[in-house]
Amino acid sequence: MFKIIEKTELAPKIVKLVIEAPQVAKKALPGQFVMVMAQEEGERIPLTIAGCDAVKGTIDIVFMEIGKTTVLLGKMREGDFVPTLLLGTPSRIEKFGTVVCIGGGVGVTAVYPVAMGLKKAGNLVIGIVGARKKELVIFEKEMKSATIALKIGTDDGSYGIKGFVTDILKEMLEVGTHIDLVYAVGPLPMMRAVSNLTKPYGIKTLVSLNPIMVDATGMCGACRVTVGGVTRLCCVEGPDFDGHLVDFDELAKRQKSYLKEEKEIMNM
Ligand code: NAD
Ligand code: FES
């Protein structure tokens, strides 16, 4: 059990928790996630680590209150304890050259540690951040610190460029911007659209997937995704996969498996 030492509402229904977890903070690498429970007997959900301070012994997690567990987590207060388990394979941090890091909505919180790691590894990191509207733009300061240029877009045009992250990426590709790698985290339709855009250009594209997880130990198969025709387990082999090889149609269907049950629980 780990103690919540800080709680901040970054935007409506988007909560950041700073959790005292020295062992996790010491070991965590960019791209890894923690399994978090809001109740001892409750569902476990994967949340990507959004920040980590090995000296203070803390990790940051950010989530949107959309399901039963995230709503319960959002009700937790500073001083409460939350079970947390470090999992996942870290992102590949090496020198690629010019890397475009794309964060859609809350996904930007998962992109930030990777963007910072890539910057430290000597890459030229360009950031693209998208949100539905101005008040949902989060981690702008953090992403500015990790990038040489940051482009922000909102769906309604209330802040930055009007349009999706893919509109910004498309323009960069069309003017011939040299890109060695794209790293994208956000809603599935966004990661699929980013992968479809970069494929004809042959630009390596990594996406961070967060399918439904149950045991998170590679035993139950709940988190399976098909990548290049091969079944992969996201909890132990992910969360990063080659976006050009992911079967997004299958994943989207699997993500909807428990929508009815989730709605029923939310209405109880
Ligand atoms: P959202 O639906 O508000 O979308 C955010 C942005 O993504 C949009 O502003 C737009 O720029 C882009 N986008 C959305 N749909 C698109 C499409 N069809 N084509 C191109 N671009 C599109 O995002 P949200 O409600 O904040 O949800 C964030 C998502 O990120 C959640 O689904 C969450 O599960 C996921 N996430 C994943 C991880 C991870 O580690 N894999 C971590 C955090 C969040
Ligand atoms: Fe069970 Fe990954 S969550 S195998």
Coordinates of all heavy atoms in Angstrom, one line a residue, residues 195-236:
S195 N -0.8 6.1 -37.2 CA -0.1 4.9 -37.8 C -0.4 4.9 -39.3 O 0.5 4.7 -40.1 CB -0.5 3.6 -37.1 OG -0.2 3.7 -35.8
N196 N -1.7 5.1 -39.7 CA -2.1 5.1 -41.1 C -1.4 6.3 -41.8 O -1.1 6.1 -43.0 CB -3.6 5.3 -41.2 CG -4.3 4.0 -40.8 OD1 -3.7 2.9 -40.8 ND2 -5.6 4.1 -40.6
L197 N -1.2 7.4 -41.1 CA -0.6 8.6 -41.8 C 0.9 8.3 -42.1 O 1.4 8.7 -43.2 CB -0.6 9.8 -40.9 CG -1.6 10.9 -41.1 CD1 -1.4 12.0 -40.1 CD2 -1.5 11.4 -42.5
T198 N 1.6 7.7 -41.1 CA 3.0 7.6 -41.3 C 3.4 6.4 -42.2 O 4.5 6.3 -42.7 CB 3.7 7.4 -39.9 OG1 3.1 6.3 -39.2 CG2 3.6 8.7 -39.1
K199 N 2.5 5.4 -42.3 CA 2.9 4.2 -43.0 C 3.4 4.4 -44.4 O 4.4 3.9 -44.8 CB 1.7 3.2 -43.0 CG 2.1 1.8 -43.3 CD 0.9 0.8 -43.0 CE 1.4 -0.6 -43.3 NZ 0.4 -1.6 -43.1
P200 N 2.6 5.2 -45.2 CA 3.1 5.4 -46.6 C 4.5 6.1 -46.7 O 5.2 6.0 -47.6 CB 2.1 6.3 -47.2 CG 1.0 6.4 -46.3 CD 1.4 5.9 -45.0
Y201 N 4.9 6.8 -45.6 CA 6.2 7.5 -45.6 C 7.3 6.6 -45.0 O 8.4 6.9 -44.9 CB 6.1 8.7 -44.7 CG 5.2 9.8 -45.3 CD1 3.9 9.9 -45.0 CD2 5.8 10.8 -46.0 CE1 3.1 10.9 -45.6 CE2 5.0 11.9 -46.6 CZ 3.6 11.9 -46.3 OH 2.9 12.9 -46.9
G202 N 6.9 5.4 -44.5 CA 7.8 4.4 -44.0 C 8.5 4.9 -42.7 O 9.6 4.6 -42.4
I203 N 7.8 5.8 -41.9 CA 8.3 6.3 -40.7 C 7.9 5.4 -39.5 O 6.7 5.1 -39.3 CB 7.8 7.7 -40.4 CG1 8.2 8.7 -41.5 CG2 8.3 8.2 -39.0 CD1 7.6 10.0 -41.4
K204 N 8.9 4.8 -38.8 CA 8.6 3.9 -37.7 C 7.7 4.6 -36.7 O 8.0 5.7 -36.3 CB 10.0 3.5 -37.0 CG 9.7 2.4 -36.1 CD 11.0 1.7 -35.7 CE 10.8 0.6 -34.7 NZ 9.9 -0.5 -35.2
T205 N 6.7 3.9 -36.3 CA 5.7 4.5 -35.4 C 5.4 3.6 -34.2 O 5.0 2.4 -34.4 CB 4.4 4.8 -36.2 OG1 4.8 5.7 -37.2 CG2 3.3 5.5 -35.3
L206 N 5.6 4.0 -33.0 CA 5.3 3.2 -31.9 C 4.1 3.8 -31.2 O 3.9 5.0 -31.0 CB 6.5 3.2 -30.9 CG 7.8 2.6 -31.4 CD1 8.9 2.8 -30.4 CD2 7.6 1.1 -31.6
V207 N 3.2 2.9 -30.7 CA 2.0 3.4 -30.0 C 2.0 2.6 -28.6 O 2.5 1.5 -28.5 CB 0.7 3.0 -30.8 CG1 0.6 3.9 -32.0 CG2 0.6 1.6 -31.1
S208 N 1.5 3.3 -27.6 CA 1.4 2.7 -26.3 C 0.0 2.2 -26.1 O -0.9 3.1 -26.0 CB 1.8 3.7 -25.2 OG 1.6 3.2 -23.9
L209 N -0.2 0.9 -26.0 CA -1.6 0.4 -25.9 C -2.0 0.2 -24.4 O -1.2 -0.2 -23.6 CB -1.7 -0.9 -26.7 CG -1.3 -0.9 -28.1 CD1 -1.4 -2.3 -28.8 CD2 -2.1 0.1 -28.9
N210 N -3.3 0.4 -24.1 CA -3.7 0.0 -22.8 C -5.1 -0.7 -22.9 O -6.1 -0.2 -22.5 CB -3.8 1.2 -21.8 CG -4.8 2.3 -22.2 OD1 -5.2 2.3 -23.3 ND2 -5.2 3.1 -21.2
P211 N -5.0 -2.0 -23.3 CA -6.2 -2.9 -23.4 C -6.6 -3.2 -22.0 O -5.9 -3.0 -21.0 CB -5.7 -4.1 -24.1 CG -4.2 -4.2 -23.9 CD -3.7 -2.8 -23.7
I212 N -7.8 -3.9 -21.9 CA -8.3 -4.3 -20.6 C -7.2 -5.3 -20.0 O -6.7 -6.2 -20.7 CB -9.6 -5.1 -20.8 CG1 -10.7 -4.1 -21.3 CG2 -10.1 -5.8 -19.5 CD1 -11.9 -4.7 -21.9
M213 N -6.9 -5.2 -18.7 CA -6.0 -6.1 -18.1 C -6.7 -6.7 -16.8 O -7.5 -6.0 -16.2 CB -4.7 -5.4 -17.6 CG -3.9 -4.9 -18.8 SD -2.3 -4.4 -18.3 CE -1.7 -3.7 -19.9
V214 N -6.4 -7.9 -16.5 CA -7.0 -8.6 -15.4 C -5.9 -8.9 -14.4 O -5.7 -8.3 -13.4 CB -7.9 -9.8 -15.7 CG1 -8.4 -10.5 -14.5 CG2 -9.0 -9.4 -16.7
D215 N -5.1 -10.0 -14.7 CA -4.1 -10.4 -13.7 C -2.8 -9.6 -13.9 O -2.0 -9.4 -13.0 CB -3.8 -11.9 -13.8 CG -3.1 -12.3 -15.1 OD1 -3.1 -11.5 -16.1 OD2 -2.6 -13.4 -15.2
A216 N -2.5 -9.1 -15.1 CA -1.3 -8.4 -15.5 C 0.0 -9.1 -15.2 O 1.0 -8.5 -14.9 CB -1.3 -7.0 -14.7
T217 N -0.1 -10.5 -15.3 CA 1.1 -11.3 -15.1 C 1.3 -12.2 -16.3 O 2.2 -13.0 -16.3 CB 1.0 -12.2 -13.9 OG1 -0.1 -13.1 -14.1 CG2 0.8 -11.4 -12.6
G218 N 0.5 -12.0 -17.4 CA 0.7 -12.8 -18.6 C 0.0 -14.2 -18.5 O 0.3 -15.0 -19.3
M219 N -0.9 -14.4 -17.5 CA -1.5 -15.7 -17.4 C -2.9 -15.7 -17.9 O -3.4 -16.7 -18.5 CB -1.6 -16.0 -15.9 CG -0.3 -16.1 -15.2 SD 0.7 -17.4 -15.8 CE -0.1 -18.8 -15.0
C220 N -3.7 -14.6 -17.8 CA -5.1 -14.7 -18.2 C -5.4 -14.4 -19.6 O -6.5 -14.8 -20.1 CB -5.9 -13.7 -17.3 SG -5.7 -12.0 -17.7
G221 N -4.6 -13.7 -20.3 CA -4.8 -13.4 -21.8 C -5.8 -12.3 -22.0 O -6.0 -12.0 -23.2
A222 N -6.3 -11.6 -21.0 CA -7.2 -10.5 -21.2 C -6.6 -9.4 -22.0 O -7.4 -8.7 -22.8 CB -7.7 -10.0 -19.9
C223 N -5.4 -9.2 -22.0 CA -4.7 -8.0 -22.6 C -4.2 -8.3 -24.0 O -3.3 -7.5 -24.5 CB -3.7 -7.4 -21.7 SG -2.3 -8.5 -21.6
R224 N -4.6 -9.4 -24.6 CA -3.9 -9.9 -25.8 C -4.3 -8.9 -27.0 O -5.4 -8.4 -27.1 CB -4.3 -11.3 -26.1 CG -5.7 -11.6 -26.5 CD -6.0 -13.1 -26.6 NE -7.4 -13.3 -26.9 CZ -8.3 -13.4 -26.0 NH1 -8.0 -13.3 -24.7 NH2 -9.6 -13.7 -26.3
V225 N -3.3 -8.7 -27.8 CA -3.4 -7.8 -29.0 C -2.7 -8.6 -30.1 O -1.8 -9.3 -29.9 CB -2.8 -6.4 -28.8 CG1 -3.7 -5.5 -27.9 CG2 -1.4 -6.5 -28.3
T226 N -3.2 -8.4 -31.3 CA -2.6 -9.0 -32.4 C -1.7 -8.0 -33.1 O -2.1 -6.9 -33.5 CB -3.6 -9.6 -33.4 OG1 -4.5 -10.4 -32.7 CG2 -2.9 -10.3 -34.6
V227 N -0.4 -8.3 -33.2 CA 0.6 -7.4 -33.8 C 1.4 -8.2 -34.8 O 2.0 -9.2 -34.5 CB 1.6 -6.9 -32.7 CG1 2.5 -5.9 -33.3 CG2 0.9 -6.3 -31.5
G228 N 1.2 -7.8 -36.1 CA 1.9 -8.5 -37.2 C 1.4 -9.9 -37.3 O 2.2 -10.8 -37.6
G229 N 0.1 -10.2 -36.9 CA -0.5 -11.5 -37.0 C -0.1 -12.4 -35.9 O -0.5 -13.6 -35.8
V230 N 0.6 -11.9 -34.9 CA 1.0 -12.7 -33.7 C 0.3 -12.1 -32.5 O 0.2 -10.9 -32.3 CB 2.6 -12.6 -33.6 CG1 3.1 -13.3 -32.3 CG2 3.3 -13.1 -34.8
T231 N -0.1 -13.1 -31.6 CA -0.8 -12.6 -30.4 C 0.3 -12.2 -29.4 O 1.2 -12.9 -29.1 CB -1.6 -13.8 -29.8 OG1 -2.6 -14.1 -30.7 CG2 -2.3 -13.3 -28.5
R232 N 0.2 -11.0 -28.9 CA 1.1 -10.4 -27.9 C 0.3 -10.1 -26.6 O -0.8 -9.6 -26.7 CB 1.8 -9.2 -28.5 CG 2.5 -9.4 -29.8 CD 3.7 -10.2 -29.8 NE 4.8 -9.6 -29.0 CZ 5.7 -8.7 -29.5 NH1 5.6 -8.4 -30.8 NH2 6.6 -8.1 -28.7
L233 N 1.0 -10.2 -25.5 CA 0.3 -9.8 -24.2 C 0.9 -8.5 -23.8 O 2.1 -8.3 -23.5 CB 0.7 -10.9 -23.2 CG 0.1 -12.3 -23.5 CD1 0.6 -13.3 -22.4 CD2 -1.4 -12.3 -23.5
C234 N -0.1 -7.5 -23.8 CA 0.4 -6.1 -23.5 C 1.0 -6.0 -22.1 O 1.9 -5.2 -21.9 CB -0.9 -5.2 -23.7 SG -0.4 -3.5 -23.8
C235 N 0.5 -6.7 -21.1 CA 0.9 -6.5 -19.7 C 2.4 -6.9 -19.6 O 3.1 -6.2 -18.8 CB 0.1 -7.2 -18.7 SG 0.1 -9.0 -18.8
V236 N 2.9 -7.9 -20.3 CA 4.3 -8.3 -20.1 C 5.1 -7.9 -21.3 O 6.3 -7.7 -21.1 CB 4.4 -9.8 -19.8 CG1 4.0 -10.1 -18.4 CG2 3.6 -10.6 -20.7

